[in-house]
């Protein structure tokens, strides 16, 4: 997880997303730059593939720079791709659960007023987050000595 300089404790997606985004943009630009040097049989595939790679790569880069997750001592906040920030206080959590599928482990937090925060459950220690949410819902502000700040899974 890449720590963001946006706020104390803010996390961004792994740096791998940034590297892949730039790699796809460079490939798209390379496809478009290679058009004058190829024969007529390869012009159409490069004209199709180049812009698709550019758009996809820029989408990944924008998502990397806009998305963040902040796990605080009293609330959790997340900013999505479209600059929409959702904040949920731990005391206002209606339900929280890990949704496991063959492709991803998604942690979903729903507030009493319908706000939803969904993120990759492997990004941080969700068991520790669940203990903190449950402790705040029961009225106890400090569930255990090592509960905050949150660490990465397995560390």
């Amino acid at each position: 997880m890449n720590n963001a300089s946006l706020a104390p404790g803010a996390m961004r997606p792994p740096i791998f997303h940034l590297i892949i985004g730039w790699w796809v943009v460079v490939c798209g630009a390379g496809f478009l730059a290679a058009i004058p040097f190829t024969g007529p049989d390869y012009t159409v595939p490069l004209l199709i593939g180049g812009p698709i790679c550019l758009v996809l790569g820029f989408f990944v880069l924008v998502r990397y720079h806009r998305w963040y997750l902040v796990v605080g001592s009293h609330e959790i906040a997340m900013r999505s791709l479209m600059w929409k920030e959702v904040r949920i206080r731990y005391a206002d959590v209606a339900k929280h659960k890990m949704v496991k599928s063959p492709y991803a482990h998604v942690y979903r937090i729903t507030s009493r007023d319908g706000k939803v925060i969904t993120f990759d459950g492997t990004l941080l220690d969700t068991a520790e987050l669940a203990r903190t949410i449950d402790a705040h819902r029961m009225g106890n502000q400090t569930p255990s000595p090592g509960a905050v700040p949150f660490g990465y899974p397995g560390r």
Side-chain angles (χ1 to χ4, degrees):
M1 182 59 82
N2 184 18
N3 290 334
S5 60
L6 308 169
M11 295 178 283
R12 284 195 175 158
I15 196 82
F16 177 71
H17 293 201
L18 183 65
I19 294 168
I20 291 297
W22 277 115
W23 184 78
V24 172
V25 166
V26 168
C27 284
F31 290 162
L32 292 176
I35 290 173
F37 305 108
T38 60
D41 294 339
Y42 298 107
T43 303
V44 173
L46 292 177
L47 279 173
I48 294 171
I52 289 174
C53 287
L54 285 174
V55 169
L56 181 64
F58 280 122
F59 175 78
V60 171
L61 291 174
V62 167
R63 182 187 179 279
Y64 174 83
H65 285 287
R66 288 191 178 174
W67 187 94
Y68 71 78
L69 178 72
V70 178
V71 179
S73 58
H74 297 287
E75 68 180 1
I76 185 166
M78 186 183 95
R79 185 173 69 185
S80 67
L81 177 65
M82 302 308 286
W83 290 93
K84 180 183 174 188
E85 183 170 293
V86 178
R87 290 182 177 274
I88 299 177
R89 292 178 42 83
Y90 294 136
D92 296 336
V93 172
K95 64 180 178 175
H96 60 98
K97 65 178 180 175
M98 177 73 81
V99 180
K100 295 183 180 181
S101 73
Y103 306 107
H105 299 285
V106 177
Y107 197 76
R108 182 181 198 94
I109 302 171
T110 307
S111 71
R112 292 186 186 121
D113 57 354
K115 293 188 245 178
V116 177
I117 291 179
T118 305
F119 60 91
D120 183 1
T122 60
L123 295 180
L124 54 96
D125 188 1
T126 53
E128 198 170 328
L129 177 61
R131 283 193 304 273
T132 303
I133 290 171
D134 290 336
H136 276 270
R137 287 168 65 187
M138 292 179 182
N140 181 5
Q141 298 298 314
T142 54
S144 64
V148 177
F150 294 90
Y152 302 112
R155 291 187 187 175

